[in-house]
Amino acid sequence: MTHSVTIRIENHNGIWYINYKRLGHDKLSEMETTALNEFIKEFKQSNQ
């Protein structure tokens, strides 16, 4: 059985949110941290 999870990563006026949690202010779950790390890797690769 597979499970699907949606992680929302958004930038509003220069402030990043992960599942509506403000980056640097709110505690992220392990799953959110993993998704954020993958997002950063892909973002860096696409901007080289």
Side-chain angles (χ1 to χ4, degrees):
M1 180 188 328
T2 61
H3 297 283
S4 177
V5 176
T6 300
I7 305 284
R8 294 180 61 96
I9 300 175
E10 302 174 296
N11 184 323
H12 294 281
N13 298 321
I15 299 170
W16 287 93
Y17 293 88
I18 292 83
N19 285 352
Y20 309 105
K21 297 176 184 175
R22 187 170 174 177
L23 186 60
H25 291 266
D26 300 314
K27 184 168 175 52
L28 301 179
S29 71
E30 184 177 332
M31 196 177 318
E32 291 165 335
T33 301
T34 299
L36 179 60
N37 288 337
E38 288 300 315
F39 172 79
I40 291 169
K41 282 185 211 174
E42 291 178 24
F43 187 81
K44 284 181 178 180
Q45 287 176 354
S46 69
N47 286 305
Q48 286 183 357

